[in-house]
């Protein structure tokens, strides 16, 4: 009899029964057991219900030759929790809630027991997660490939105002969503040397020999589409030692040495590097990158060949790879190596195939993010890959010199190998040379890339470059995170907006002030969300937020370019205004700041300390009397953003113009009805265009102003010209916030007072304070604020990753959706 799976019932009774079965028969627990097992039992019950559609989706995509597929290669997938979102996408939240109530359990509390899958740092990793959700919802045959880190993003707690990092052993209790597929294990090579030989036809070929191998074992996670029976796959690789690793040494009596080798293999996928943006050039990181690229490419080739394909010329018609930043771009050289060395394809055909199936997304212009690996490291770790990169470069430089004969300077600039005392491989250049599509992540960012960093390449290949403005998935970030507002929206415009966010436009007429009932409902929903956040802040920070006050929020990775410091300077200014009794146009505010600093980023860590020190003074000064509250929320992550975004009135997006490639936090806030105070940067510009300047608090220098000012920036002139700024700087310099720890904020003062401050924080102080004063005045008219809030949500349709994915598909991937 053929094995086939039938869909299980999704009614409450059936889910409840399965839940009980898993809890007692599988996990051996009962209702008085640790509540984390309720989560596991429910997750298993749902997994059963996903499995038939999952295997049918895989079969539909996998068994039909000629179905073109895309692969999203990313070192990061910041997935967060799966349970609540899965229920939403399956459309069985209410039934499940009821089923749990029958066991006297609250679904919301069960969901709290799921540990976030924190396999990413910030925006880049979360983008990959939102893309996965949208691809499944659009029924696009897209598979994610990533790394199953044993330890994800570190957990942050605050001690004496300082960030302390704790390891995130997220798999400790097991992961009910993953399916290990050891049958698809791949072997990845490292080290060794390259060896020439003549094949049976007498052709000179290369072999990579004497390698030190590591096994890549795949773990699959289901990506459930929104109510469409499509379940795509995120495949995460775990490194493990080869079976034969220990035999020789074991037989030679060095048992412990052989186990050490095993550990070395497993180290590759032990920990996520916690640096957002900046790279630190560690060998293990390059190992991770190659491990992901090699295992994923081999897996794709295996599947493609298993469908009966033999003509490699066809490969690029069937497959396309999207590389999330330069992190996985060693894939360009690895695909060449596999085709040349393992499949016997000629150089010309291999290069044609590679450059027709690779596409690259750039995520930042900041120079510290540009990955460069020392040639010597490549030589030791990936000698065969280095040879191939040299040959790619030689072919490429020939093309450059044909187009610009004698332009040696251009050749030097464009070379994949950077010359110098230490020679480096420029990964971004490898990606550009090897890809048919190169995109930035917001209109301004793509424009700046073309004018700056990538200019030489644009001259050579203008058609390769394009823009794909980021988005966020409205399932997680509105429907799931904000059930109150979702229900309100659906009650007025129906439910179709969840899969077609442009429908939110229909809310625009309801924003008019005469729609009193809708306004009242909208305001009440916001208020309830603010109570939920206030409870979290109270529990985590011991600070009481009044939901009637303006919730002014900046949550994101702590980085100087994002200018949390500018926010703090404004808070100090507000504090001074209270002390002076300058309360004209005042709005009571609760300022929330949250985010992780890279463990090696001393300045970012000191900024966290400053936020906490300022919060201590402000929150404990009786003169402040509830007019201002400040809190630093520890351990900012996906599940906390699900509570924060729906409760925010004012979204802080205040990066130095030209530095934030896109931002996606800005979109989550907008979707949930927050107004933005922001610079003319990244996707802020497109948000401003969508919602209109009357509903956005724009301030500050533009990207071209910033560049024009560079070289003659004089922060002291801003201090001299502005008594408010002077007062803030003086208070900081006097040690008002650090009486017991003199000097700890000197590094911050020195940075903002330096003519070399790349972020030009003080240049934007006055404009920022003025814009904040406009915010306060706008807040005083609550009816018109609610109108602005509704208009923000109503105008956010463009920022759905459904739109982003449709654009990637239209311009780059060219996949056919596969209806179930
Ligand atoms: C959305 C998100 C980010 C990105 O925020 P930006 O403001 O765009 O930097 C980072 N971390 C988490 C947990 C997020 O949900």
């Amino acid at each position: 009899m053929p094995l086939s799976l039938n869909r299980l019932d999704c009614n409450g009774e059936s889910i409840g029964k399965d839940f009980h079965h898993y809890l007692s028969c599988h996990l051996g627990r009962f209702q008085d057991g640790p509540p984390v097992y309720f989560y596991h039992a429910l997750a298993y019950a749902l997994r059963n219900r996903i499995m038939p559609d999952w295997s049918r989706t895989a079969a539909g995509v996998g068994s039909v030759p000629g179905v073109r597929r895309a692969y999203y290669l990313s070192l990061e997938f910041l997935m967060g929790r799966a349970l609540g979102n899965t229920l939403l996408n399956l459309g069985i939240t209410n039934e499940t809630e009821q089923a749990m109530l029958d066991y006297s359990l609250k679904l919301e509390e069960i969901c709290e027991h799921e540990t976030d899958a924190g396999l990413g740092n910030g925006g880049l990793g979360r983008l990959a997660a939102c893309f996965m959700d949208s691809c499944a919802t659009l029924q696009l045959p897209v598979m994610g490939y990533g790394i199953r880190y044993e330890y994800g993003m570190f957990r942050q707690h605050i001690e004496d105002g300082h960030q302390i990092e704790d390891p995130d052993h997220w798999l400790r209790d097991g992961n009910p969503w993953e399916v290990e597929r050891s049958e698809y294990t791949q072997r990845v090579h490292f080290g060794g040397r390259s060896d020439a030989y003549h094949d049976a036809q007498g052709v000179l070929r290369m072999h990579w020999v004497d390698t030190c191998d590591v096994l890549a074992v795949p773990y699959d996670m289901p990506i459930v589409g929104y109510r469409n029976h499509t379940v795509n796959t995120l495949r995460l690789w775990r490194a493990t030692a080869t079976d034969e690793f220990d035999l020789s040494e074991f037989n030679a009596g060095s048992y412990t040495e052989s186990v050490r080798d095993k550990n070395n293999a497993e180290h590759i996928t032990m920990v996520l590097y916690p640096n957002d943006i900046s790279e630190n050039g560690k060998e293990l990181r390059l190992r991770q990158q190659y491990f992901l690229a090699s295992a994923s490419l081999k897996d794709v080739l295996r599947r493609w060949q298993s469908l009966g394909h033999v003509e490699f010329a066809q490969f690029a018609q069937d497959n396309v790879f999207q590389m999330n930043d330069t992190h996985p771009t060693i894939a360009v050289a690895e695909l060449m190596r596999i085709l040349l060395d393992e499949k016997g394809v000629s150089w010309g055909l291999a290069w044609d195939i590679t450059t027709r199936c690779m596409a690259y997304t750039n995520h930042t212009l900041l120079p510290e993010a540009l990955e460069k690996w020392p040639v010597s490291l490549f030589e030791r770790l990936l000698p065969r890959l280095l040879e191939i990169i040299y040959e790619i470069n030689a072919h490429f430089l020939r093309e450059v010199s044909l187009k610009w004969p004698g332009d040696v300077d251009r050749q030097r600039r464009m070379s994949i190998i950077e010359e110098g005392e230490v020679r480096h491989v420029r990964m971004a250049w490898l990606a550009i040379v090897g890809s048919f599509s190169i995109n930035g992540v917001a209109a301004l960012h793509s424009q700046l890339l073309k004018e700056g960093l990538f200019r030489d390449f644009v001259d050579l290949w203008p058609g390769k470059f394009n823009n794909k403005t980021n988005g966020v998935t409205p399932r997680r970030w509105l429907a799931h995170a904000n059930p109150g507002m979702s229900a309100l929206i659906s009650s007025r415009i129906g439910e179709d907006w969840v899969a077609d966010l442009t429908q939110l436009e229909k809310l625009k007429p309801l924003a008019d002030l005469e729609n009193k009932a809708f306004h009242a409902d909208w305001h009440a929903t916001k208020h309830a969300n603010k109570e939920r956040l206030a409870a979290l802040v109270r529990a985590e920070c011991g600070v009481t937020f009044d939901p009637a006050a303006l919730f002014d929020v900046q949550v994101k990775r702590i980085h100087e370019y994002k200018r949390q410091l500018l926010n703090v300077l404004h808070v100090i200014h507000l504090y001074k205004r209270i002390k002076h009794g300058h309360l004209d146009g005042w709005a009571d505010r609760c300022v929330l700041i949250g985010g992780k600093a890279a463990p090696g980023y001393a300045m970012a860590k000191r900024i966290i300390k400053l936020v906490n020190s300022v919060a201590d003074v402000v929150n404990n000064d009786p003169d402040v009397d509830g007019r201002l509250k400040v809190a630093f929320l520890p351990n900012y992550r996906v599940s906390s953003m699900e509570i924060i975004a729906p409760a925010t009135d004012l979204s802080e997006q205040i990066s130095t113009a030209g530095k934030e490639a896109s931002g996606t936090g800005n979109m989550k806030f907008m979707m949930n009805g927050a107004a933005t105070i922001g610079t003319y940067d990244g996707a802020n510009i497109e948000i401003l265009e969508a919602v209109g300047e009357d509903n956005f608090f724009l301030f500050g220098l533009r990207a071209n102003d910033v560049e024009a000012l560079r070289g003659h920036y004089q922060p002291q002139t801003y201090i001299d010209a502005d008594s408010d700024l002077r007062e803030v700087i003086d208070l900081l310099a006097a040690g008002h916030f650090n009486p017991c720890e003199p000097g700890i904020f000197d590094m911050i003062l020195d940075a903002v007072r330096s003519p070399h401050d790349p972020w030009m924080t003080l240049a934007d102080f006055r404009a920022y304070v003025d814009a904040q004063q406009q915010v306060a005045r706008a807040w005083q008219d609550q009816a018109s604020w609610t109108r602005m809030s509704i208009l923000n949500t109503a105008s956010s349709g463009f920022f759905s990753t459904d739109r982003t994915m449709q654009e990637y598909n239209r311009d780059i991937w060219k996949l056919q959706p596969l209806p179930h």
Side-chain angles (χ1 to χ4, degrees):
M1 206 168 74
L3 283 169
S4 74
L5 279 174
N6 290 318
R7 272 194 205 122
L8 296 171
D9 281 342
C10 280
N11 59 50
E13 190 191 347
S14 155
I15 292 170
K17 254 185 166 152
D18 254 22
F19 165 78
H20 185 255
H21 164 82
Y22 275 106
L23 187 65
S24 50
C25 302
H26 186 75
L27 298 166
R29 263 82 179 191
F30 300 93
Q31 266 161 278
D32 54 355
V36 66
Y37 293 105
F38 304 153
Y39 153 68
H40 279 267
L42 184 54
Y44 278 119
L46 290 178
R47 199 176 104 154
N48 276 2
R49 282 159 177 76
I50 292 167
M51 212 48 95
D53 282 335
W54 197 4
S55 59
R56 266 188 277 252
T57 304
V61 181
S63 65
V64 189
V67 174
R68 183 171 159 83
R69 303 183 66 164
Y71 308 94
Y72 198 75
L73 303 183
S74 180
L75 270 285
E76 302 189 14
F77 285 90
L78 190 48
M79 303 299 284
R81 290 173 177 156
L83 179 51
N85 199 247
T86 301
L87 289 169
L88 173 87
N89 282 12
L90 292 174
I92 55 172
T93 306
N94 293 339
E95 295 85 324
T96 307
E97 211 160 19
Q98 194 52 51
M100 294 300 99
L101 277 180
D102 293 344
Y103 293 96
S104 312
L105 297 170
K106 280 210 173 115
L107 178 59
E108 217 183 307
E109 288 170 14
I110 295 177
C111 291
E112 290 287 308
H113 288 281
E114 179 170 6
T115 309
D116 278 40
L119 308 183
N121 274 280
L124 174 150
R126 183 55 228 175
L127 185 76
C130 286
F131 280 9
M132 289 295 106
D133 179 85
S134 281
C135 288
T137 294
L138 295 167
Q139 304 189 299
L140 294 173
V142 175
M143 188 163 165
Y145 277 108
I147 290 182
R148 182 182 176 273
Y149 301 105
E150 202 78 28
Y151 293 87
M153 190 57 210
F154 68 81
R155 292 160 203 253
Q156 174 196 59
H157 78 266
I158 302 297
E159 249 174 65
D160 193 24
H162 292 281
Q163 164 174 304
I164 308 290
E165 301 97 25
D166 309 306
D168 168 44
H169 198 185
W170 71 293
L171 293 165
R172 189 183 334 250
D173 299 323
N175 177 3
W177 304 106
E178 69 183 12
V179 176
E180 181 182 343
R181 295 210 184 277
S182 44
E183 65 273 33
Y184 299 135
T185 297
Q186 294 292 341
R187 183 178 272 262
V188 177
H189 311 300
F190 289 99
R193 62 193 170 82
S194 170
D195 192 33
Y197 72 104
H198 290 275
D199 69 8
Q201 283 74 44
V203 180
L204 184 70
R205 297 204 168 277
M206 302 304 282
H207 247 166
W208 189 2
V209 296
D210 297 340
T211 54
C212 183
D213 294 354
V214 173
L215 297 181
V217 182
Y219 288 72
D220 288 356
M221 309 259 269
I223 307 291
V224 177
Y226 183 70
R227 301 183 190 180
N228 62 7
H229 295 292
T230 290
V231 182
N232 282 346
T233 299
L234 171 60
R235 177 158 289 180
L236 303 177
W237 299 102
R238 179 171 74 88
T240 180
T242 54
D243 289 337
E244 70 269 26
F245 83 99
D246 53 353
L247 283 179
S248 56
E249 284 188 278
F250 182 70
N251 293 336
S254 338
Y255 174 73
T256 49
E257 280 73 8
S258 66
V259 172
R260 184 200 57 207
D261 286 354
K262 181 176 160 68
N263 276 331
N264 278 338
E266 293 178 356
H267 275 158
I268 293 177
T269 53
M270 193 59 73
V271 59
L272 166 75
Y273 276 89
N275 308 309
D276 186 60
I277 311 284
S278 80
E279 278 308 325
N280 62 0
K282 289 286 195 307
E283 173 178 334
L284 185 59
R285 172 71 173 180
L286 181 58
R287 281 186 190 269
Q288 290 182 339
Q289 297 183 347
Y290 179 66
F291 176 79
L292 169 66
S294 182
S296 307
L297 287 170
K298 287 177 175 177
D299 192 48
V300 170
L301 275 152
R302 171 198 60 74
R303 192 183 308 109
W304 184 76
Q305 288 188 296
S306 78
L307 295 176
H309 292 291
V310 285
E311 287 301 328
F312 283 96
Q314 174 73 23
F315 184 77
Q317 261 116 283
D318 294 343
N319 301 286
V320 56
F321 298 88
Q322 190 71 43
M323 300 183 288
N324 199 18
D325 215 308
T326 51
H327 314 154
T329 55
I330 187 62
V332 170
E334 174 65 359
L335 182 55
M336 286 298 288
R337 188 195 66 78
I338 296 172
L339 292 171
L340 294 168
D341 297 1
E342 296 183 8
K343 308 295 179 190
V345 175
S346 70
W347 180 277
L349 179 57
W351 186 243
D352 178 66
I353 293 167
T354 301
T355 52
R356 285 198 298 131
C357 56
M358 291 290 170
Y360 157 57
T361 303
N362 172 280
H363 283 270
T364 173
L365 292 150
L366 298 185
E368 59 266 41
L370 289 178
E371 290 193 296
K372 291 174 188 173
W373 294 104
V375 164
S376 56
L377 176 59
F378 252 94
E379 220 151 20
R380 186 157 50 79
L381 211 60
L382 306 167
R384 179 64 186 130
L385 281 290
L386 182 62
E387 275 178 6
I388 291 171
I389 291 170
Y390 280 152
E391 195 161 341
I392 292 172
N393 199 35
H395 284 270
F396 167 62
L397 290 180
R398 212 167 303 143
E399 193 177 338
V400 173
S401 68
L402 278 177
K403 172 132 186 167
W404 294 286
D407 193 343
V408 197
D409 197 49
R410 193 186 284 263
Q411 287 184 40
R412 182 190 52 73
R413 289 199 306 266
M414 296 180 80
S415 173
I416 297 170
I417 305 298
E418 181 182 78
E419 301 296 335
E421 213 168 304
V422 180
R423 302 169 74 227
H424 285 91
V425 181
R426 295 162 161 161
M427 299 308 281
W429 280 201
L430 177 64
I432 294 171
V433 173
S435 297
F436 68 93
S437 165
I438 296 129
N439 73 282
V441 290
L444 174 72
H445 171 235
S446 297
Q447 190 57 40
L448 294 175
L449 277 178
K450 290 209 270 184
E451 292 167 2
L453 193 59
F454 293 171
R455 196 175 53 215
D456 289 329
F457 294 92
V458 176
D459 289 347
L460 186 59
W461 297 309
K464 276 194 187 186
F465 296 84
N466 64 94
N467 173 247
K468 296 287 169 281
T469 299
N470 283 166
V472 301
T473 170
R475 268 72 63 187
R476 180 174 297 264
W477 294 114
L478 187 50
H480 166 66
N482 199 342
M485 192 174 281
S486 296
L488 175 57
I489 293 168
S490 297
S491 74
R492 302 304 171 108
I493 67 169
E495 282 190 9
D496 291 353
W497 60 270
V498 182
D500 172 13
L501 204 66
T502 59
Q503 304 239 352
L504 291 180
E505 291 271 340
K506 293 183 187 161
L507 292 172
K508 281 186 178 168
L510 294 167
D512 291 344
L513 298 178
E514 65 266 23
N515 294 296
K516 291 229 161 55
F518 186 70
H519 268 236
D521 289 346
W522 191 271
H523 185 267
T525 308
K526 240 320 158 198
H527 192 89
N529 292 338
K530 290 168 80 172
E531 282 179 334
R532 185 166 67 141
L533 177 57
L536 180 74
V537 169
R538 179 151 192 76
E540 297 284 321
C541 320
V543 178
T544 304
F545 276 10
D546 175 2
L550 173 77
F551 278 21
D552 170 347
V553 178
Q554 185 175 27
V555 287
K556 47 183 72 244
R557 288 300 292 254
I558 310 293
H559 201 294
E560 286 162 282
Y561 87 81
K562 292 176 181 281
R563 296 201 298 194
Q564 282 90 0
L565 264 180
L566 184 57
N567 190 344
V568 178
L569 297 182
H570 173 246
V571 169
I572 297 173
H573 166 67
L574 290 181
Y575 174 61
K576 271 307 223 184
R577 277 183 59 194
I578 296 171
K579 299 298 274 185
H580 292 314
H582 294 166
L583 295 174
D584 44 312
W586 184 266
D588 290 349
R589 281 190 201 237
C590 301
V591 177
L592 186 67
I593 299 177
K596 293 172 185 176
Y601 190 171
M603 182 66 82
K605 292 179 126 176
R606 196 56 56 91
I607 292 169
I608 291 175
K609 171 67 176 170
L610 177 63
V611 174
N612 282 304
S613 300
V614 170
D616 270 351
V617 169
V618 171
N619 297 337
N620 295 307
D621 186 331
D623 293 348
V624 173
D625 195 24
R627 281 181 275 248
L628 180 62
K629 289 284 172 79
V630 186
F632 183 89
L633 185 78
N635 204 27
Y636 172 59
R637 59 197 189 280
V638 171
S639 55
S640 39
M641 187 53 159
E642 291 169 6
I643 297 168
I644 295 165
T648 295
D649 298 308
L650 184 66
S651 155
E652 298 272 354
Q653 308 299 336
I654 59 178
S655 51
T656 309
K659 303 302 171 193
E660 185 74 273
S662 163
T664 51
N666 48 5
M667 301 168 186
K668 298 167 201 165
F669 285 117
M670 179 200 201
M671 225 170 253
N672 283 278
T676 304
I677 183 166
T679 47
Y680 205 74
D681 197 16
N684 290 357
I685 298 170
E686 289 154 84
I687 289 176
L688 167 67
E689 279 165 7
V691 75
E693 56 190 20
D694 294 344
N695 303 300
F696 187 109
F697 299 92
L698 177 68
F699 74 94
L701 299 177
R702 307 249 171 147
N704 54 328
D705 302 326
V706 168
E707 288 324 307
L709 192 53
R710 210 174 290 292
H712 28 93
Y713 174 52
Q714 289 296 345
Q716 192 59 43
T717 59
Y718 299 94
I719 300 173
D720 293 342
D722 189 329
S723 59
D724 289 334
L725 176 56
R726 199 155 57 240
E727 196 174 54
V728 168
I729 295 288
D730 288 348
L731 203 61
L732 268 170
H736 189 79
F737 302 101
N738 49 318
C740 306
E741 299 159 289
I744 59 167
F745 298 130
D746 288 359
M747 63 190 284
I748 290 177
L749 277 166
D750 291 346
V752 296
R753 286 190 298 203
S754 163
H756 306 293
D757 173 19
W759 321 117
M760 299 185 181
T761 303
L762 301 193
D764 275 340
F765 176 83
R766 176 44 47 193
Y768 180 55
V769 167
D770 290 347
Q772 287 284 19
Q773 187 56 20
Q774 282 182 34
V775 169
R777 291 194 195 281
W779 179 254
Q780 287 173 337
D781 182 348
Q782 283 283 295
S784 79
W785 187 279
T786 297
R787 178 175 173 277
M788 181 160 64
S789 168
I790 297 166
L791 286 175
N792 266 277
T793 301
S795 311
S796 67
F798 181 77
F799 302 100
S800 164
T801 35
D802 297 346
R803 186 269 315 154
T804 312
M805 291 295 85
Q806 272 158 340
E807 289 183 5
Y808 272 83
N809 194 42
R810 182 192 64 204
D811 301 340
I812 307 172
W813 302 342
K814 304 183 193 300
L815 312 171
Q816 293 297 324
L818 289 183
H820 199 277

